[in-house]
Amino acid sequence: GAPTLPVAGSFDVKEAFMEVRIPIVEEGFLYNMSLEAGYRYSDYGLNNRNVSTDAYKIGLDLAPIRDVRFRVAYNRAVRAPNIQELFAPQRVVLDGSTDPCAGIGVVGGVVAGGANLASCQAMGVSAAQFGTIQPNQASQYNGLIGGNPNLEPEVADTWTVGIVLQPSFIPRLAITVDWFDIQVDSFIQGVGADTILQTCQNTLDPTFCGLVHRDQFGSLWRTSNGYVQDFSINIGSVKTRGIDVQASYSMEIGEGWGGVGFNFVGTWLDRLVTDNGVSDPYDCTGYFGPQCGTPSPEWRHQFRVNWNLPDGIGLTARWRYFSGVDVDGLSPNSTLHAFDTTSATARPADFRIPSQSYIDLTLTARIGDHYNFRLGVNNLFDRDPPLVGSNACPAGICNGNAYTQVYDALGRYIFAGVSLDF
């Protein structure tokens, strides 16, 4: 929605860290028990100020028998703001999808966009402009975004509990299940242009209403003089929780037929809660859209099967799967109503992205001692990415009416290559 401008800036960091692993029991009354710990001190030079952080971890591995291992860990992590977050040039781009003061006409003192005269005046609309501001038919509105040199590091607390199974009666089988719970505080994020407008409309808070700047037409999109200021700041938090599952197994299938291997990696997302520090926290698990942005399927996995022949020929098949997601306007959470599913412009086709599957194949061949050939195809059946309308497709995150960060946008992709080992 705007030119990509150059970024210039720098910072320096000095660090000291230590790690230790202490075996407590080895093949005694327990097969193994060990303790792991670590600490890192960092000092960041950011412009004319210094910021220091402490990160640490502690974990316990416990294997009562050789076939079963339990693990639990706590980790305090920090993330300093990066060059882009600190020094990105401040510029007007497409950043929002709604303007409650844009609509056609006034009914009962409320503009068709949903706001009354008092809230629109708080957002910079004159009495003469009220009810005359034209909406953007593409649902794209301007925002002033850019770096913030006063950002502080994010701080995260991570808990993990897991089990590893490697049964001796089934050689080459390994299964791991890990539960995770992560909370990031002082989260570096923009409040969001739509949230700023909605908060001003609901509360008339001058802190948020003052971030709305309209052009001479009262518009937020007709010229670059109309925008909502939405710089990144340290505000709110993000919490996620779920379960990771991984399994692998390999076996020989007979003389001259080589071996077969199986590998499975999946994640069940229990929650993905964002607190933007303004509105009610909202859970984007199973949703996508103007507020949640990129789809967050409850379940996703990759399942891979390998067949390797003794003569160096190998064939790999992979299945990628994403469960279906709903547009965030269908959530009962009041914060997630930027997408109005009851409006006349809402299309039922945008309400849900069904589950998606992709099949990939790769053929490899080792010739002699030095050459490795590979030939493959991703998205074998040439599945198009699921498309959504502009109302459910926020600018900057959704590209070409598709969420390309999650779904395959290239169609069938054929590749070939050769490696030579000297």
Side-chain angles (χ1 to χ4, degrees):
T4 300
L5 302 178
V7 180
S10 65
F11 64 87
D12 62 78
V13 58
K14 300 178 179 67
E15 294 185 313
F17 68 93
M18 61 174 293
E19 290 184 303
V20 61
R21 182 175 179 86
I22 305 172
I24 299 174
V25 179
E26 287 188 340
E27 298 188 27
F29 67 97
L30 297 172
Y31 180 75
N32 181 274
M33 183 169 67
S34 59
L35 183 69
E36 182 177 327
Y39 173 78
R40 179 184 297 268
Y41 172 82
S42 304
D43 182 83
Y44 295 90
L46 303 172
N47 290 335
N48 296 320
R49 62 193 179 100
N50 283 77
V51 177
S52 62
T53 62
D54 299 282
Y56 42 87
K57 66 178 180 178
I58 185 168
L60 177 69
D61 275 6
L62 174 63
I65 59 176
R66 184 172 185 173
D67 297 9
V68 181
R69 180 164 64 95
F70 298 95
R71 55 193 182 191
V72 59
Y74 166 75
N75 193 317
R76 162 60 63 90
V78 295
R79 186 186 76 85
N82 58 39
I83 295 292
Q84 184 76 15
E85 292 165 335
L86 289 167
F87 306 113
Q90 297 178 357
R91 71 275 190 198
V92 175
V93 303
L94 298 176
D95 188 47
S97 60
T98 60
D99 179 2
C101 297
I104 308 298
V106 177
V107 178
V110 177
V111 74
N116 59 30
L117 177 59
S119 60
C120 287
Q121 286 181 323
M123 287 184 270
V125 177
S126 68
Q129 292 170 337
F130 183 66
T132 67
I133 300 172
Q134 296 298 311
N136 186 321
Q137 297 303 315
S139 296
Q140 296 176 331
Y141 294 89
N142 292 335
L144 178 65
I145 66 170
N148 180 355
N150 296 315
L151 290 171
E152 298 286 334
E154 297 174 338
V155 179
D157 293 301
T158 299
W159 293 91
T160 58
V161 178
I163 182 172
V164 181
L165 303 176
Q166 294 177 295
S168 55
F169 55 89
I170 309 179
R172 299 178 300 280
L173 173 65
I175 300 172
T176 65
V177 180
D178 289 284
W179 172 86
F180 61 86
D181 188 299
I182 304 169
Q183 177 168 332
V184 184
D185 292 313
S186 298
F187 195 64
I188 297 174
Q189 60 182 331
V191 175
D194 290 333
T195 300
I196 291 171
L197 290 166
Q198 185 179 21
T199 303
C200 175
Q201 177 183 343
N202 295 340
T203 66
L204 302 184
D205 187 332
T207 300
F208 296 96
C209 296
L211 300 175
V212 184
H213 301 266
R214 296 186 179 271
D215 63 14
Q216 64 271 31
F217 307 107
S219 171
L220 295 175
W221 65 276
R222 293 183 65 177
T223 73
S224 59
N225 293 323
Y227 56 83
V228 177
Q229 181 177 313
D230 187 23
F231 297 142
S232 293
I233 57 177
N234 292 99
I235 188 170
S237 64
V238 172
K239 306 175 185 178
T240 186
R241 183 174 64 197
I243 295 176
D244 288 332
V245 180
Q246 184 169 349
S248 62
Y249 178 66
S250 62
M251 59 179 292
E252 298 295 323
I253 56 176
E255 185 176 352
W257 288 94
V260 175
F262 304 88
N263 184 271
F264 178 89
V265 179
T267 296
W268 172 66
L269 185 62
D270 179 33
R271 69 177 187 178
L272 180 60
V273 178
T274 297
D275 180 359
N276 59 21
V278 179
S279 53
D280 292 335
Y282 53 91
D283 189 350
C284 285
T285 304
Y287 291 107
F288 73 98
Q291 200 69 24
C292 286
T294 303
S296 300
E298 288 190 37
W299 175 259
R300 66 178 72 193
H301 72 243
Q302 292 191 31
F303 178 57
R304 189 190 306 266
V305 180
N306 303 298
W307 180 21
N308 296 304
L309 294 170
D311 58 5
I313 304 297
L315 180 65
T316 300
R318 180 177 63 166
W319 172 28
R320 293 177 284 145
Y321 175 82
F322 305 90
S323 63
V325 289
D326 295 321
V327 71
D328 49 24
L330 294 175
S331 169
N333 189 296
S334 59
T335 304
L336 297 179
H337 286 169
F339 182 96
D340 185 0
T341 57
T342 63
S343 71
T345 59
R347 300 187 317 131
D350 296 335
F351 291 2
R352 180 170 177 79
I353 297 176
S355 61
Q356 303 291 311
S357 289
Y358 303 99
I359 302 298
D360 308 323
L361 296 178
T362 304
L363 176 68
T364 60
R366 182 169 181 84
I367 309 300
D369 296 327
H370 303 289
Y371 296 95
N372 290 282
F373 294 88
R374 57 190 179 275
L375 175 66
V377 54
N378 292 336
N379 194 355
L380 176 65
F381 299 109
D382 197 23
R383 293 201 59 179
D384 292 330
L387 302 179
V388 294
S390 57
N391 287 348
C393 183
I397 298 175
C398 187
N399 188 345
N401 295 97
Y403 288 95
T404 56
Q405 307 95 322
V406 178
Y407 306 114
D408 193 335
L410 294 177
R412 184 183 294 117
Y413 180 83
I414 300 172
F415 61 91
V418 59
S419 299
L420 174 62
D421 298 328
F422 293 96

